[in-house]
Amino acid sequence: MYASSPDANRRSRLPAARRYDPDRRARILRATLDVVAEHGVAGATHRRIAAAAGVPLGSMTYHFEGMELLLTEAFTLLADTVAARFTERLAAASNRDEALEAVVDLVVDESWARPRTMLLSYELYAFAARRPALQSVMRDWMDKSRAALGRHFAPETAKALDAMIEGLSIHRSVDRDPADRAAVRSIVERLVGEGTAVRSSVGSSIDTSP
């Protein structure tokens, strides 16, 4: 039997090279939201998230110092993603009627008001209640939403519509008889008002009074 060479013995003691996986951190964040959507923040564990992300358990503490930091970054990803979709939908409107329809879509269309997003939003509100870092994330989300609405509506109207979109979306997610599209459109029109100044997509105000 041949004896192993010193070089071979040394190589056998070297740790295996880390597999190149540049998307691993982002995948963990996405998996965290999946786990929270299924089990809630209280049921989110490193083991569950690692399994959902398809990564070794050790990757959790390698990329994130603790569960609170992981949840904070995951909820920040949620806020940024939803705000981007919100902005994209409103940016597609080029006149008053299209802007009103965009607002209605953000309440009733499941391509925007997704049940999963609503569920995660509930978890975000509860988790952020005592965490200043996440409260600033939520304020930034609110600012982005109002800015997107402000492309078409006067500032105070944009604030009212933002609150309506969120509140009515929450109500519709639990209501046995949720408001349909026509009812939501009627609510939006009353908030905007027949004589309210509506902003064009280039930022000027258009007086919609008769």
Side-chain angles (χ1 to χ4, degrees), residues 51-83:
V55 302
L57 187 58
S59 291
M60 303 300 295
T61 51
Y62 176 82
H63 289 287
F64 302 94
E65 292 181 2
M67 182 59 74
E68 183 156 329
L69 177 62
L70 172 56
L71 288 167
T72 297
E73 291 201 33
F75 279 132
T76 301
L77 173 63
L78 169 70
D80 289 345
T81 301
V82 175

Side-chain angles (χ1 to χ4, degrees), residues 125-198:
Y125 270 108
F127 187 69
R130 293 180 177 85
R131 292 168 176 84
L134 261 178
Q135 289 172 22
S136 67
V137 169
M138 294 178 71
R139 283 191 293 270
D140 183 58
W141 183 0
M142 186 184 300
D143 289 343
K144 289 175 180 176
S145 298
R146 290 176 180 176
L149 288 160
R151 291 172 59 92
H152 306 285
F153 305 100
E156 290 305 312
T157 303
K159 289 175 67 174
L161 288 171
D162 184 42
M164 182 279 298
I165 291 168
E166 187 159 1
L168 193 52
S169 296
I170 291 171
H171 279 228
R172 291 186 78 257
S173 71
V174 297
D175 197 336
R176 291 190 183 90
D177 185 24
D180 62 14
R181 187 177 191 90
V184 174
R185 171 76 188 219
S186 177
I187 293 168
V188 173
E189 288 177 340
R190 286 200 297 273
L191 273 177
V192 171
E194 288 301 322
T196 301
V198 180

